[in-house]
Amino acid sequence: MPLFEVEGRSYEVDEDGFLQEPERWNREVAKDFAATEAIADLTEEHWKIIHYIRNYYLEFGIAPMIRKLCKETGHKLNEIYKLFPSGPAKGACKLAGLPKPTGCV
Amino acid sequence: MANDSGEKPETKMLDELEKGPWPSFVKEIKSAGQTSASAQDLLRQLELSYQEKKGHWKHGGLVGVLGYGGGVIGRYSDAGDQFPKVAQFHTLRVNQPAGWFYTSDAIRTLCDIWERHGSGLTNMHGSTGDLILLGTGTAELEPTFQELAQAGFDLGGSGSAFRTPSCCVGMARCEWACYDAMKLCYDLTMAYQDEMHRPPFPYKFKVKCAACPNDCVAAIARADLSIIGTWKDEIQVDESAVNEYASAGLNLQKDVCDLCPSKCMAWDGHKLSIENHECVRCMHCINVMPKALRPGKERGAVIMIGGKAPIMQGALLSSVLVPFVPAEELMDTLKELIRRIWDFWDEYGNNRERVGELIQRVGLPVFLDGIGLDPVPEMVSAPRDNPYIYFQVAKDGEK
Ligand code: HEM
Ligand code: HEM
Ligand code: SF4
Ligand code: SF4
């Protein structure tokens, strides 16, 4: 397993940089991972989405469908891409400490 | 056992696949291997797979370029320490030009970009229609994307997105085209850039445009929404050309009339007659006698829904949704129809459920009601899988 290291902290991640130990997640983890997804600062808007995904994951064990994410957070999909340039699956889920969403292609 | 040595890969088993008269992917990868280290490692890993009877590609990765949620398909080797040049081997889908027309300059530019940034291996074209660039590392994705963009190319769709639409060569080369499939394909591509690059759906959504019932892009079997050219009036007949075929030795009875699926043609030795209201627009007679017969003058397309290959459930062919739309109304009709289909599918579709599977689950009447189309009795009791029959317009007073 590769390690992701930042300011003396290190995390086990998969090859796409997703956190391998979901239970280690906290706000600091999200901040540490933000730089890897081209996000300079985490704003309230970012946090709203991160928390929504995180809580959904804790409750159901999977990431929410895109449509649900947009509906529940009140963001259009292209707004989510403005906040998380690599998108909801690769960007937002990574910061929320979820394991990599499945799906082959 | 890293292989930077420049030695040629040992490919005893793969060599078998070069034998025989047909084209061989092994030969092609070897030829790329003369200049590409990753093509060599690809051969080495594949040779190992053949020896062990075991694949070495891991389950899909999640990589991409900023701003897009698709267009790149992530692949990792589980034997990256043995074959470092294919440890990461991602695929880029590049949006092809409608009808696959390139200048040789454009192809050279693409290949140069790919030799600088990837394995040099291409697949022109994938079955999705896109131009496929096979094999590169994560760090190369953004630079490749930038160079492609400068050369006027964009990535195509992947994942739960509006997939890159594709079309037949249509009016560019083909006398049978009943509408301009290339223009429609281009217009749809431009209209749905958001849905293509930022996957919003329960699953993939494919659109393919064929300009006549020969369906050279196999839309009926592969696309969630198929747009297949057809005509409403009568097959155009050039009688003297028919007789030329006959005197040149064509057996019109056996090779044309007897093979007409609806048996609506007759040949008396001088004159060919067609009962056009029975014709199912299969193209057979026209394909046999292109100089004598051609599609009618009132042209347009049939819109079909629900085709797909097997995954969660078995393969489906498309069913007719709208039997005939005049060519000049196609884009407007499609925009409205697509919006309604997506709304319904978004609302009721399960995760990873194709629209055809959703229709099977809820039933066609519910679906038609959901998108606000009036069902025709024939559609509901036995959904038509043959697109080529045209319902005659009801005369005044009839049903
Ligand atoms: C478990 C592994 C894999 C699965 C389940 C898988 C599945 C698929 C599926 C379902 C498609 C069709 C996607 C679509 O059009 O919607 C596809 C396309 C493709 N895959 Fe894979 N794949 C796997 C591994 C690979 C690997 C290892 C490579 C290359 C190294 C690869 C290269 C491609 C390419 C180039 C296409 C596009 C082909 C075309 O459009 O004709 N795949 N794959
Ligand atoms: C020799 C074996 C295979 C070949 C050459 C092959 C090739 C392809 C190609 C070229 C496509 C793209 C079709 C298109 O969009 O027009 C495709 C799609 C697909 N393949 Fe395969 N495939 C093979 C085996 C499999 C197997 C074993 C599975 C699953 C267990 C599979 C699952 C799929 C799925 C789910 C799709 C997407 C279908 C869709 O778009 O509806 N394939 N395959
Ligand atoms: S589908 Fe019809 S119009 Fe298109 S290329 Fe094939 S024969 Fe020609
Ligand atoms: S197009 Fe097909 S169905 Fe129609 S007349 Fe020709 S052969 Fe018969």
Side-chain angles (χ1 to χ4, degrees):
Chain A
M1 273 302 151
L3 281 183
F4 167 54
E5 295 182 59
V6 54
E7 291 174 20
R9 293 180 289 279
S10 73
Y11 304 96
E12 269 196 22
V13 293
D14 73 359
E15 62 263 88
D16 292 321
F18 283 79
L19 185 65
Q20 289 303 92
E21 310 145 286
E23 62 288 351
R24 264 188 72 184
W25 189 87
N26 57 36
R27 283 176 73 102
E28 185 183 61
V29 177
K31 284 183 196 155
D32 284 348
F33 279 73
T36 71
E37 295 304 318
I39 299 164
D41 266 316
L42 288 177
T43 63
E44 267 322 297
E45 296 297 283
H46 289 101
W47 284 117
K48 192 164 114 194
I49 292 167
I50 292 172
H51 284 304
Y52 174 72
I53 293 177
R54 181 81 199 162
N55 291 335
Y56 191 95
Y57 170 69
L58 290 179
E59 189 170 348
F60 300 105
I62 52 167
M65 278 170 74
I66 300 291
R67 180 186 156 79
K68 208 164 167 55
L69 175 67
C70 292
K71 217 170 166 178
E72 303 282 327
T73 61
H75 283 291
K76 292 217 176 80
L77 188 51
N78 55 9
E79 295 168 3
I80 294 182
Y81 275 85
K82 288 209 180 88
L83 294 167
F84 299 91
S86 52
K90 182 168 177 290
C93 285
K94 185 181 288 179
L95 266 61
L98 269 62
K100 177 161 62 199
T102 53
C104 210
V105 266
Chain B
M1 196 177 82
N3 282 300
D4 291 329
S5 53
E7 280 167 49
K8 272 202 353 205
E10 293 250 351
T11 53
K12 245 180 98 212
M13 299 192 79
L14 289 181
D15 293 347
E16 293 296 315
L17 299 174
E18 286 186 282
K19 298 179 183 166
W22 36 78
S24 160
F25 72 94
V26 173
K27 194 167 140 215
E28 299 301 325
I29 302 178
K30 278 187 180 172
S31 130
Q34 290 172 0
T35 50
S36 156
S38 57
Q40 291 195 9
D41 264 4
L42 183 63
L43 287 169
R44 293 188 181 99
Q45 176 175 308
L46 196 58
E47 178 74 14
L48 181 67
S49 286
Y50 273 77
Q51 285 166 8
E52 298 178 336
K53 300 190 175 158
K54 178 169 170 271
H56 284 287
W57 299 109
K58 290 202 214 174
H59 193 269
L62 195 50
V63 287
V65 297
L66 293 180
Y68 284 11
V72 187
I73 301 164
R75 289 291 169 235
Y76 297 96
S77 165
D78 70 5
D81 44 346
Q82 274 185 74
F83 310 110
K85 301 287 184 196
V86 295
Q88 304 171 342
F89 203 68
H90 312 318
T91 296
L92 280 93
R93 285 205 172 125
V94 178
N95 196 149
Q96 80 283 8
W100 301 290
F101 288 97
Y102 300 83
T103 59
S104 67
D105 235 17
I107 296 183
R108 280 172 213 282
T109 305
L110 287 162
C111 290
D112 287 348
I113 293 174
W114 195 232
E115 284 190 350
R116 275 198 304 282
H117 291 293
S119 71
L121 290 168
T122 63
N123 173 12
M124 293 178 82
H125 292 83
S127 295
T128 56
D130 302 85
L131 188 170
I132 308 284
L133 302 179
L134 280 161
T136 194
T138 311
E140 294 294 334
L141 295 174
E142 285 290 344
T144 313
F145 178 51
Q146 297 308 331
E147 279 204 48
L148 287 170
Q150 270 163 27
F153 286 90
D154 196 358
L155 297 186
S158 71
S160 298
F162 178 70
R163 297 304 187 81
T164 323
S166 76
C167 62
C168 73
V169 294
M171 285 186 174
R173 289 189 68 89
C174 189
E175 70 211 68
W176 292 325
C178 294
Y179 73 95
D180 191 340
M182 291 171 64
K183 178 169 193 317
L184 183 72
C185 183
Y186 178 81
D187 289 347
L188 289 168
T189 306
M190 298 316 282
Y192 299 113
Q193 285 287 301
D194 252 344
E195 288 81 359
M196 184 149 96
H197 296 309
R198 287 170 279 281
F201 301 134
Y203 204 11
K204 65 186 92 169
F205 192 87
K206 296 181 179 177
V207 177
K208 295 190 199 287
C209 314
C212 88
N214 279 334
D215 192 5
C216 290
V217 282
I220 191 172
R222 307 192 301 166
D224 298 275
L225 197 72
S226 326
I227 300 129
I228 301 179
T230 188
W231 63 95
K232 201 169 164 180
D233 53 349
E234 313 199 324
I235 292 176
Q236 302 183 61
V237 185
D238 176 340
E239 290 196 17
S240 65
V242 172
N243 278 291
E244 275 171 41
Y245 273 106
S247 44
L250 178 71
N251 185 337
L252 264 92
Q253 188 58 46
K254 179 164 159 281
D255 293 332
V256 180
C257 298
D258 289 354
L259 295 178
C260 167
S262 60
K263 300 281 178 283
C264 67
M265 310 183 85
W267 169 245
D268 64 5
H270 306 285
K271 195 175 157 47
L272 181 72
S273 40
I274 305 176
E275 288 188 49
N276 275 279
H277 60 277
E278 295 289 341
C279 165
V280 295
R281 274 81 177 154
C282 79
M283 289 296 287
H284 167 70
C285 58
I286 300 176
N287 290 338
V288 176
M289 300 194 289
K291 284 185 187 154
L293 305 180
R294 42 181 57 231
K297 291 182 178 157
E298 203 184 340
R299 299 179 178 192
V302 46
I303 301 176
M304 308 184 66
I305 190 153
K308 63 171 216 60
I311 181 160
M312 301 307 189
Q313 299 172 24
L316 288 174
L317 284 182
S318 310
S319 306
V320 174
L321 194 59
V322 186
F324 186 84
V325 183
E328 52 297 347
E329 291 169 23
L330 262 176
M331 187 63 192
D332 288 341
T333 305
L334 279 168
K335 272 186 151 165
E336 182 59 28
L337 197 60
I338 288 174
R339 187 184 61 74
R340 296 191 200 176
I341 293 169
W342 284 351
D343 279 350
F344 186 83
W345 183 40
D346 251 356
E347 188 66 36
Y348 300 106
N350 291 331
N351 197 20
R352 311 212 108 207
E353 184 174 49
R354 295 282 283 269
V355 73
E357 292 163 350
L358 171 63
I359 295 172
Q360 279 204 322
R361 179 162 62 81
V362 302
L364 193 57
V366 173
F367 174 75
L368 291 175
D369 190 44
I371 64 169
L373 274 194
D374 282 337
V376 185
E378 294 90 321
M379 264 166 114
V380 177
S381 67
R384 286 162 49 203
D385 48 18
N386 184 336
Y388 312 130
I389 305 168
Y390 174 67
F391 289 130
Q392 298 297 313
V393 201
K395 305 251 160 51
D396 284 342
E398 288 176 23
K399 174 219 83 170

